[in-house]
Amino acid sequence: MADAQTVLLGVTGSIAAYKAVELARLLIKRGVTVKTVMTEAAAEFVTPLTFRSITGHPVGIDMFEEPTEWKAAHVSLAAEADAIAIAPATADAIAKLAEGIADELLFSVVLASKAPLVVAPAMHTEMYENPATQHNLDLLRSRGAVVVEAQSGQLASGDVGTGRLAPPEKIVDAVMGELGRARDLAGHRVLVSAGGTQEPLDAVRYLGNRSSGKTGYAIARECALRGAAVVLVSAPTALRSPRDVELVAVRTAEEMAEAVFERFDEADAVVMSAAVADFSPAEPSIGKIKKDAAPKSIALRRNVDILAELGKRKAKQVLIGFAAETDDIAANARGKLEAKNLDLVVANDVSRPGVGFGADDNEVVLVGPDADETLRRMSKVQLARHIVDRLVGLLEARGRPA
Ligand SMILES: Cc1cc2nc3c(=O)[nH]c(=O)nc-3n(C[C@H](O)[C@H](O)[C@H](O)COP(=O)(O)O)c2cc1C
């Protein structure tokens, strides 16, 4: 039997800390090894002995305690964890996680770990709704953490409002979801393109588009988190390269084509989320065009259609493309799927405000060979997770004998 996966359960100083005992029990029932780390404040609410007795493992609290079973506790625990669940998470803990503060063993472990993170807040309504807490939760989400939202109901204070810890079963489901995803792309090579290409007009000017690269970067990060070897071919963006991803920086459609074609054969899956210019100036000026020498018109030439070319060259690869549409979204995307020999098209309506280009959210239709899947509006980080789930399904289907 495969070794059980390990969940590091982080318990912080909330009145709901006692509910983490039930959470530990439920996780163990699902076949998971649970190791607990408590903050000093959490130990004021529930004794470490309770968690040690339930989980059968020593409980970490003090960063400076002489290690017994563990070597350097924060490092070895971080490496051991297949997923980390902070439940309940206090406002203080959420702020520390968002800021990268490492003043206690628990927060040091989270910083030192690459494992997926699930955070289940519990606090008084005003603390939960405070813009500082909401901003911190958004920051954690934007980095890929799963936040199991607090619920509305009676709070420990007797007040009624939002801030109750989500039911343990719901937190367990979120943790199991992360464990399932944890290494499902191990051994696969994924090539992702992102950003909007820039086509030179002269020495300083270019024709560009409004793509921010957020979706492609989120997909690259999600694939890396799930164990893939990821190459991200990126046109210019304002984004930081995700961790554990090989970044290949390009500027023009031509450079992107070259970088992608060069790496295509060794890839198992390709996600082309870059907004590649269809046209570029036919004769860019070498120097800067003077104000009084402005051309009356600019001749354009067609760029290579990278996705169509990949569709032609495709052997074993799963090939996912994007379609920016303004009408007949699904029908146009299906046309693209068939014409370019793709396995999935992520189609979005770029005419709608608040979603798509540059925004943090998107609302898309996933068009595969069989059915369309319309996804509700969600963050690009969540969307990346859905797309990568589909990618994993396509890779699995490919691996199965017909
Ligand atoms: C009785 C009591 C209940 C508390 N419950 C909560 C809570 O539910 N959520 C929260 O964010 N803070 C709560 N606090 C405040 C935290 O314990 C305090 O911010 C502490 O510094 C958190 O430390 P930690 O994040 O390191 O665990 C409570 C404090 C007390 C005394």
Side-chain angles (χ1 to χ4, degrees):
M1 204 177 93
D3 284 348
Q5 286 178 297
T6 298
V7 170
L8 191 128
L9 175 62
V11 186
T12 69
S14 155
I15 192 75
Y18 73 93
K19 296 182 183 171
V21 178
E22 176 67 358
L23 182 61
R25 206 183 59 77
L26 290 173
L27 283 167
I28 292 164
K29 256 176 98 176
R30 298 270 197 115
V32 168
T33 298
V34 177
K35 299 212 168 165
T36 319
V37 176
M38 304 173 80
T39 60
E40 284 174 17
E44 298 283 333
F45 291 85
V46 188
T47 67
L49 179 63
T50 311
F51 287 102
R52 175 149 60 94
S53 309
I54 290 279
T55 65
H57 293 282
V59 174
I61 300 179
D62 183 356
M63 194 148 45
F64 301 105
E65 195 180 324
E66 191 63 29
T68 49
E69 184 182 313
W70 303 321
K71 292 169 206 140
H74 69 285
V75 176
S76 61
L77 278 170
E80 246 181 288
D82 296 299
I84 299 178
I86 313 286
T90 59
D92 172 73
I94 290 164
K96 285 177 179 165
L97 294 170
E99 288 295 324
I101 292 171
D103 64 345
E104 286 208 44
L105 177 62
L106 174 60
F107 305 115
S108 305
V109 172
V110 178
L111 264 192
S113 173
K114 292 180 179 178
L117 179 65
V118 175
V119 176
M123 65 201 70
H124 201 257
T125 308
E126 277 69 24
M127 290 172 89
Y128 188 60
E129 289 178 350
N130 190 298
T133 303
Q134 288 302 318
H135 173 71
N136 289 331
L137 287 171
D138 281 344
L139 261 177
L140 293 177
R141 284 189 195 95
S142 74
R143 295 185 200 134
V146 173
V147 176
V148 186
E149 306 265 358
Q151 301 209 328
S152 188
Q154 181 142 30
L155 305 175
S157 58
D159 297 339
V160 174
T162 310
R164 264 175 83 91
L165 182 72
E169 294 76 12
K170 206 166 167 194
I171 303 169
V172 168
D173 284 347
V175 174
M176 297 310 291
E178 291 311 290
L179 283 178
R181 277 190 253 265
R183 305 292 303 165
D184 60 3
L185 276 174
H188 287 292
R189 280 181 290 213
V190 182
L191 178 60
V192 182
S193 76
T197 62
Q198 298 179 352
E199 311 303 322
L201 199 54
D202 67 11
V204 296
R205 302 180 179 94
Y206 60 82
L207 293 185
N209 61 67
R210 289 173 20 233
S211 170
S212 65
K214 285 177 188 165
T215 302
Y217 274 58
I219 290 171
R221 185 183 43 212
E222 178 72 13
C223 290
L225 260 177
R226 290 161 76 157
V230 183
V231 178
L232 173 61
V233 178
S234 179
T237 70
L239 305 172
R240 192 188 294 268
S241 174
R243 189 149 76 165
D244 297 329
V245 161
E246 182 191 338
L247 184 83
V248 179
V250 298
R251 184 168 291 276
T252 63
E254 203 174 316
E255 287 171 17
M256 177 157 285
E258 195 180 317
V260 169
F261 293 157
E262 208 179 291
R263 292 165 178 82
F264 184 62
D265 287 345
E266 63 199 29
D268 302 308
V270 179
V271 184
M272 281 292 295
S273 74
V276 184
D278 293 322
F279 309 100
S280 49
E283 287 169 8
S285 166
I286 292 170
K288 182 183 171 207
I289 300 169
K290 296 269 183 255
K291 213 182 283 183
D292 48 13
K296 292 233 164 15
S297 61
I298 298 164
L300 298 174
R301 66 175 162 78
R302 218 36 200 99
N303 291 331
V304 57
D305 185 335
I306 301 177
L307 204 48
E309 186 55 37
L310 294 180
K312 281 185 211 146
R313 296 185 188 190
K314 187 167 101 173
K316 52 171 181 140
Q317 293 90 345
V318 166
L319 188 52
I320 300 181
F322 278 65
E325 307 285 352
T326 48
D327 40 32
D328 280 342
I329 318 289
N332 284 328
R334 184 156 299 285
K336 189 165 182 174
L337 180 94
E338 283 157 14
K340 299 193 180 182
N341 191 23
L342 309 180
D343 298 290
L344 187 74
V345 173
V346 182
N348 55 120
D349 182 348
V350 286
S351 66
R352 297 173 64 169
V355 295
F357 269 162
D360 286 328
D361 288 353
N362 210 348
E363 196 178 321
V364 305
V365 185
L366 301 182
V367 178
D370 308 321
D372 301 347
E373 183 187 0
T374 303
L375 300 179
R376 63 182 163 77
R377 178 173 173 162
M378 61 178 72
S379 74
K380 288 180 174 174
V381 173
Q382 286 173 295
L383 175 62
R385 199 162 283 166
H386 274 277
I387 295 170
V388 177
D389 283 347
R390 290 289 294 263
L391 188 156
V392 169
L394 287 161
L395 277 169
E396 276 172 3
R398 192 134 305 180
R400 265 182 238 132

